Every structure is written in C-alpha cells, then in structure tokens.
Amino acid sequence: MLRRLSLKTFPKPLSAREEKEYLERCNEGDQLARDVLIERNMRLVAHVVKKYQSPDYDIEDLLSVGTIGLIKAVNTFKVDKGSRLATYAAKCVENEILMLFRASKKLSKEVSLFEPIGVDKDGEAVSLVDIIEMENKETIDTMILKQDVKELYEAFDSCLSDTEKTVIRMRYGLFRGKEHTQREIAAQLGISRSYVSRIEKKALEKLKGEFQKHEN
C-alpha cells in the first residue's frame, strides 16, 4: 500500500529574490547556499514524485532518485534573466525518475517521451519531454497551488452535505460562480442569515479537517 505523499511536509520554496541570492552564492562555491537550494526545493521533488507513484516503487526510493536530479540541477543551473531554478530542476528530477523506469523496463510509455525526436538550433537533441516543458513552464508555487486547488475540490465533493456545498459554492464563487453575501444566500434558500453563517462555519471546519488528514 502506497503511503500518501503530502507536499506540505516539505519546507516552503524560496522567493525569487532569495533564490537569486543563494544561486549567486552557490556559483561562488558556497556549500551552505547549495544545501539551502536543495532543501528548499524538495517540495518540487515531492510534486514530481506524486505524478509517478506506483505500487512497483517505494515513495522513499523515488524521492531519493528525484533528489539526485535536484542536486544535478543545482550544480549545473545557469542563471539567466527571468529564469527560475524550479523549471529547470523539474526537468532534471523527471529525467532521473524516467531513467529509473527505463532501467527496469516497467513504464515504456513514459520512457518513450524521453526519446530524441530532433535537434534544436544549437544541435542538441530534443525530446517530447523537452517540448512539453517549453510549452508548460510552471514555477513550483504554481504547481503547489494547483495541487491545493485540486485537493480543495476533492474535499468539497467528498465531505460536505448538499446544503453545505450550496452555501460554500455561493459564498466563495466556486466553479466560476459569483460570490454572495450570507444575507443573499439566506434569501435564496429561505433561511436565516445566522443559519447560513452556522452552515458555512461547519463546512469550513470539515474542509480544514480533510486537508489536515492529507498532511499526515
């Protein structure tokens, strides 16, 4: 049985300013800065690992392999204007995991994404993974936000009653809807504003509890 992997158990990523500072120090040979860059990007490794969880591999093994990719990324990343380490590191982490799968011949479909399909303007081999990365560059903050939103909607569907879903959906404008005040919701549902407030509070407590379960 696979243990659930939570991104929230890892340190928060560095801000753009902090990342730039530590990268400059790392390029000057500062080992402490290098260690900080690795530690504060472990969330990225965990995010990539979540996409490749399989009964054939322990999470700890995938994290170890992914960490190797992160270390390689920190060691070889070249700072360019507007570039972020996370985009480059995500590719390096995936490369290491896909190489693991290639070695064991277990996930041939994913491995095929890594096969060269041409060359770029510098004569370097380009794979489907390279193209996907170029078309879908995301910082680690964006990836984590997407994961949190996904878990929010899963919790919304699984732990709320129909009335609670209606109140939360209207109150916070979920599913691209319009946000409503408690008074407006009460008028539409034919109940008191104070009752809407109690329903909202109870529903939020349920959602909070569901998120906390995911962190364990």
Side-chain angles (χ1 to χ4, degrees):
M1 179 69 69
L2 277 174
R3 176 172 58 81
R4 185 180 178 88
L5 178 63
S6 172
L7 298 178
K8 300 177 182 65
T9 61
F10 296 91
K12 291 184 178 180
L14 296 167
S15 66
R17 181 185 59 79
E18 290 173 327
E19 180 182 288
K20 183 175 182 295
E21 175 187 342
Y22 280 104
L23 281 170
E24 290 174 351
R25 288 169 51 185
C26 181
N27 289 340
E28 294 171 357
D30 187 331
Q31 289 298 309
L32 177 60
R34 174 179 173 274
D35 292 343
V36 170
L37 287 167
I38 294 170
E39 179 184 2
R40 297 290 288 275
N41 278 282
M42 282 302 299
R43 261 191 170 193
L44 174 60
V45 177
H47 175 83
V48 176
V49 165
K50 288 187 77 166
K51 295 194 298 182
Y52 291 101
Q53 289 186 68
S54 163
D56 297 316
Y57 299 92
D58 290 334
I59 290 177
E60 288 77 9
D61 291 339
L62 293 180
L63 281 172
S64 296
V65 171
T67 302
I68 293 173
L70 173 60
I71 292 171
K72 289 182 178 179
V74 171
N75 289 341
T76 60
F77 181 68
K78 303 299 181 184
V79 181
D80 296 317
K81 186 176 181 180
S83 63
R84 290 297 301 271
L85 173 62
T87 301
Y88 177 71
K91 178 179 175 180
C92 292
V93 171
E94 282 203 322
N95 286 353
E96 291 298 320
I97 293 175
L98 291 178
M99 283 193 291
L100 171 68
F101 292 160
R102 173 187 290 171
S104 60
K105 310 273 185 196
K106 295 214 177 198
L107 292 178
S108 59
K109 182 178 180 181
E110 283 79 359
V111 172
S112 68
L113 294 176
F114 201 67
E115 296 301 323
I117 60 173
V119 296
D120 61 17
K121 62 181 181 180
D122 298 318
E124 298 291 335
V126 176
S127 68
L128 287 176
V129 170
D130 295 323
I131 295 174
I132 292 170
E133 288 292 336
M134 286 187 287
E135 293 180 348
N136 189 33
K137 290 185 177 180
E138 296 179 311
T139 65
I140 182 60
D141 296 330
T142 303
M143 290 188 282
I144 292 171
L145 175 60
K146 285 186 176 181
Q147 182 65 29
D148 286 343
V149 170
K150 177 177 179 290
E151 291 184 0
L152 168 63
Y153 280 104
E154 288 175 351
F156 177 92
D157 287 332
S158 65
C159 71
L160 300 186
S161 67
D162 290 342
T163 301
E164 289 168 341
K165 288 179 181 178
T166 299
V167 169
I168 294 299
R169 175 177 54 80
M170 295 178 66
R171 188 77 173 93
Y172 297 96
L174 300 185
F175 305 102
R176 299 184 180 179
K178 175 187 174 184
E179 293 183 15
H180 294 74
T181 65
Q182 290 181 346
R183 197 173 299 280
E184 289 172 336
I185 297 172
Q188 289 196 34
L189 298 183
I191 56 180
S192 68
R193 188 203 62 78
S194 61
Y195 188 37
V196 171
S197 178
R198 291 197 296 272
I199 293 174
E200 179 185 351
K201 181 179 179 181
K202 182 178 179 181
L204 292 177
E205 288 175 349
K206 284 184 177 181
L207 291 174
K208 180 180 178 181
E210 193 70 14
F211 268 89
Q212 289 175 339
K213 284 198 300 185
H214 290 175
E215 293 179 11
N216 296 328

